[in-house]
Amino acid sequence: MSPGPAPVTAIRASAYTIPTDAPEADGTYGWDSTTLVLVEADGGGKTGLGWTYAPAAAAALVEDLLGPAVHGTDVLDVPAAAAAMARAVRNPGRTGLASYAVSAVDCALWDLKARLLGVPLHKLLGAVRDSVAVYGSGGFTTYNEDHLRDQLQGWALEQHIPRVKIKIGQDGGTNVARDLERIRQARTAVGPGTELFVDANGGYTAKQAVRVMREVEAEHVTWFEEPVSSDDLAGLRAVRAAVDADVAAGEYGTGLPYFQRMCGADAVDCLQADVSRCGGISEWLRVAAVAAAHGLELSGHCAPHLSAAVAAATPNFRHLEWFHDHVRIENLFFDGTLDPDGGWVRPSDAPGNGLAFRAADAAPYRVR
């Protein structure tokens, strides 16, 4: 028997900055810490959890704009809360940082609803699979050969994940020789039986990206993420037409029209979306429908424990990014995290997303 109406009674936000375990960089950016903004949503005697990876300023957006907008809405009516948040961020802008904040609240509200009903989140959403394929992701341009080998072999040989990804586009695409060397090092590290993915984070021009793939044809790269800027749809389309690897982009999308334009431009072989950025679970489901309407699969970008349930409920889902930074943080902050052994994760059978926040362990990193 389902519970009666239960209003959302509180939305709380906090932010935590966690240093990286080593210097990290990709083709166009470097960082030494990552900030997680956590949202806790209360209602009906339960608390739902959601989060995003964003500047701590996102927490202020949550508490100042989004919390008041959803306060009092029925816990069971998450679409009504999503519509209220869309209205609340009309003037500051629906895209960009506001979408990160909306995503964290939306995910917390879906988790709250599932916990109130006493069902796993992926079952509430309607699962189409029991487990979700993952790929190991890291291989930062700051890593030396030993560090790169150890990380890749940890995924491929110890956890038996049959697909791994490294960063290329070194120094904004100005050090192609090192990119080529590192791709070959990666293939040597994991052997011929593991799929090799690369991500340039928009560091190349279109023709440069094509030349790089031709140089490493023998390494059988099967996934080429953001060979050029994700805003360069013509460039993505040109690379897609010229290389054998699947071209992917979409991780920065914070509004449905962004994904529609990318799909409509024939710019990618597989669309990416980030549930902690795109607008949360509510918007993810719409993005997946847009991709399906264009005959495309969807790949989940980062935040793996936030993404696993909705990935299991997405018919046209391909795989989820098991991102080194976020896996490390989520394992530190939450009980109930998932095991990727064999290259798959199985969403929890506990109510909601199955996670419990370890506030004492997170406290040393709190910045808001």
Side-chain angles (χ1 to χ4, degrees):
M1 184 174 181
S2 63
V8 175
T9 56
I11 298 289
R12 303 186 304 280
S14 51
Y16 306 84
T17 296
I18 305 93
T20 57
D21 57 3
E24 295 179 358
D26 54 37
T28 52
Y29 185 66
W31 61 97
D32 59 12
S33 65
T34 298
T35 299
L36 180 147
V37 175
L38 180 77
V39 170
E40 297 169 281
D42 297 338
K46 302 290 184 179
T47 298
L49 298 173
W51 64 92
T52 186
Y53 291 96
L61 283 172
V62 169
E63 295 199 332
D64 295 346
L65 287 179
L66 304 181
V70 305
H71 190 274
T73 60
D74 194 314
V75 168
L76 300 182
D77 296 334
V78 181
M85 288 192 287
R87 292 191 296 270
V89 297
R90 187 201 68 177
N91 285 356
R94 171 66 178 82
T95 58
L97 186 62
S99 185
Y100 288 50
V102 167
S103 299
V105 177
D106 186 82
C107 289
L109 291 173
W110 278 105
D111 183 46
L112 173 60
K113 178 177 179 177
R115 290 176 192 255
L116 187 63
L117 295 174
V119 297
L121 180 54
H122 65 292
K123 294 295 186 182
L124 173 67
L125 296 170
V128 294
R129 59 182 61 83
D130 294 329
S131 55
V132 176
V134 300
Y135 66 89
S137 171
F140 303 109
T141 59
T142 45
Y143 285 2
N144 61 28
E145 182 177 1
D146 289 342
H147 197 160
L148 180 68
R149 182 186 61 248
D150 289 347
Q151 185 181 68
L152 296 181
Q153 290 184 345
W155 290 319
L157 304 184
E158 296 173 22
Q159 294 185 305
H160 313 102
I161 299 174
R163 51 196 84 83
V164 299
K165 186 176 81 180
I166 69 167
K167 301 290 192 179
I168 58 172
Q170 180 87 37
D171 303 323
T174 62
N175 195 345
V176 170
R178 186 161 189 265
D179 290 336
L180 299 176
E181 179 184 35
R182 292 179 68 254
I183 293 171
R184 292 174 179 128
Q185 288 171 354
R187 173 53 73 197
T188 298
V190 299
T194 298
E195 283 194 75
L196 180 58
F197 299 177
V198 298
D199 182 358
N201 286 97
Y204 295 139
T205 65
K207 286 191 174 181
Q208 186 183 26
V210 173
R211 290 194 294 270
V212 167
M213 284 298 98
R214 287 176 179 165
E215 286 284 338
V216 292
E217 186 175 357
E219 313 311 329
H220 302 292
V221 173
T222 56
W223 173 272
F224 197 1
E225 187 172 328
E226 280 199 308
V228 299
S229 168
S230 55
D231 293 325
D232 181 6
L233 300 182
L236 287 170
R237 185 171 60 249
V239 177
R240 181 188 181 200
V243 304
D244 290 335
D246 281 356
V247 169
E251 67 188 63
Y252 301 113
T254 56
L256 199 63
Y258 172 101
F259 297 99
Q260 165 59 25
R261 288 192 295 270
M262 186 167 282
C263 293
D266 289 328
V268 294
D269 294 290
C270 185
L271 186 67
Q272 291 178 287
D274 187 326
V275 76
S276 76
R277 294 175 174 175
C278 73
I281 290 170
S282 297
E283 198 73 355
W284 168 291
L285 296 172
R286 301 172 72 199
V287 171
V290 169
H294 288 84
L296 296 175
E297 291 180 316
L298 189 67
S299 177
H301 174 264
C302 292
H305 292 93
L306 195 67
S307 309
V310 72
T314 302
N316 56 320
F317 189 75
R318 183 181 294 194
H319 46 44
L320 175 60
E321 185 169 12
W322 195 252
F323 182 56
H324 170 72
D325 239 16
H326 295 179
V327 169
R328 188 175 62 89
I329 293 168
E330 290 166 11
N331 283 338
L332 174 64
F333 279 20
F334 301 103
D335 286 325
T337 53
L338 305 175
D339 181 0
D341 189 65
W344 301 82
V345 292
R346 184 183 181 94
S348 173
D349 289 326
N353 58 31
L355 299 173
F357 180 54
R358 298 207 299 262
D361 290 334
Y365 306 99
R366 186 162 181 161
V367 293
R368 176 184 166 88

